[in-house]
Amino acid sequence: MNLFAFFDTIYPISAKAKEALKQLIREQRHAKNEIVQGIGSRCRTVYLVKTGGARIFYYKDGNDITEHFAFENELIVRAESLFTGNPTSKGIQAIDDTTLLAIDSEKLFQLYDQHHDLERLFRLIFEREYVHTVKRLESLQFKSARERYLELLETTDFVQKIPLKYIASYLGITQVSLSRIRSSLG
């Protein structure tokens, strides 16, 4: 789906707002496993996945933990850094050959004053991501690992390309437990 057709499904914006936004969008290609934004950096870019997939990750007690996956037409941003300007302990990594649409956040936020429809569009996009995050937390609290895995399968057909260690850490389980769940599903 074309990016602006996707945006129209969320909130249609004017032709002038589209033109202004087009000037900010830069396409970036990242190889499988390439770090898009490193741990300890400041997030100054809003990314939308055009093709492929990416993840937000961090390290805890030496373990690589996946916090979030993003696939086609999904936002990937380290919001705690984007909105505070502070460095973050999380990074963004391509999990396959991935094309991202990168938007400089400072320039985007400056456009809000001139194009209120653009501000509304991105507010709605950020709200959707916030709701997604809350649902993920609730899933970790209230659902079994099997239920969480089935939810992930419903989200994307990209699962076969994601390394098992990333899926297991995302679900909060070991790779052995994930293998058992996968084999039980046939």
Side-chain angles (χ1 to χ4, degrees):
M1 178 186 283
N2 166 305
L3 178 65
F4 287 96
F6 167 67
F7 285 163
D8 284 344
T9 67
I10 298 169
Y11 186 81
I13 58 174
S14 69
K16 285 185 179 183
K18 285 179 185 175
E19 271 311 305
L21 184 56
K22 282 180 187 176
Q23 300 305 312
L24 301 185
I25 298 172
R26 301 288 174 256
E27 192 169 286
Q28 296 180 351
R29 287 184 168 67
H30 296 276
K32 181 178 183 175
N33 298 324
E34 183 180 341
I35 299 297
V36 176
Q37 283 188 348
I39 290 173
S41 64
R42 287 179 170 83
C43 184
R44 294 187 173 114
T45 308
V46 174
Y47 296 103
L48 289 146
V49 178
K50 182 176 180 183
T51 61
R55 72 183 185 119
I56 294 176
F57 71 99
Y58 60 92
Y59 292 99
K60 182 177 180 184
D61 301 327
N63 295 314
D64 179 325
I65 309 292
T66 299
E67 177 181 271
H68 177 72
F69 290 117
F71 307 105
E72 187 177 337
N73 288 327
E74 290 183 335
L75 183 78
I76 187 158
V77 64
R78 297 171 305 159
E80 73 284 355
S81 177
L82 180 72
F83 295 120
T84 66
N86 295 328
T88 177
S89 58
K90 299 172 187 170
I92 299 176
Q93 180 183 33
I95 52 178
D96 195 41
D97 290 341
T98 299
T99 303
L100 299 174
L101 301 177
I103 304 169
D104 179 289
S105 61
E106 189 175 316
K107 291 177 182 175
L108 173 65
F109 298 157
Q110 288 171 357
L111 283 181
Y112 287 0
D113 291 333
Q114 299 154 1
H115 302 282
H116 295 292
D117 52 343
L118 197 56
E119 180 179 23
R120 181 169 174 91
L121 168 66
F122 276 89
R123 180 179 57 80
L124 292 169
I125 290 170
F126 285 122
E127 282 177 6
R128 283 170 52 150
E129 283 302 309
Y130 174 74
V131 169
H132 175 77
T133 299
V134 170
K135 285 183 176 180
R136 171 150 161 66
L137 289 171
E138 289 174 348
S139 178
L140 286 167
Q141 291 172 316
F142 302 116
K143 295 188 177 176
S144 70
R146 179 186 171 98
E147 290 169 323
R148 293 193 304 272
Y149 180 68
L150 291 171
E151 277 181 346
L152 180 61
L153 290 177
E154 290 171 11
T155 308
T156 181
D157 54 6
F158 200 84
V159 172
Q160 300 309 321
K161 293 185 177 187
I162 303 171
L164 292 181
K165 65 182 180 179
Y166 296 164
I167 295 172
S169 72
Y170 176 79
L171 297 174
I173 59 175
T174 65
Q175 287 186 59
V176 172
S177 296
L178 177 58
S179 294
R180 281 191 204 114
I181 290 168
R182 288 169 61 124
S183 66
S184 75
L185 295 173

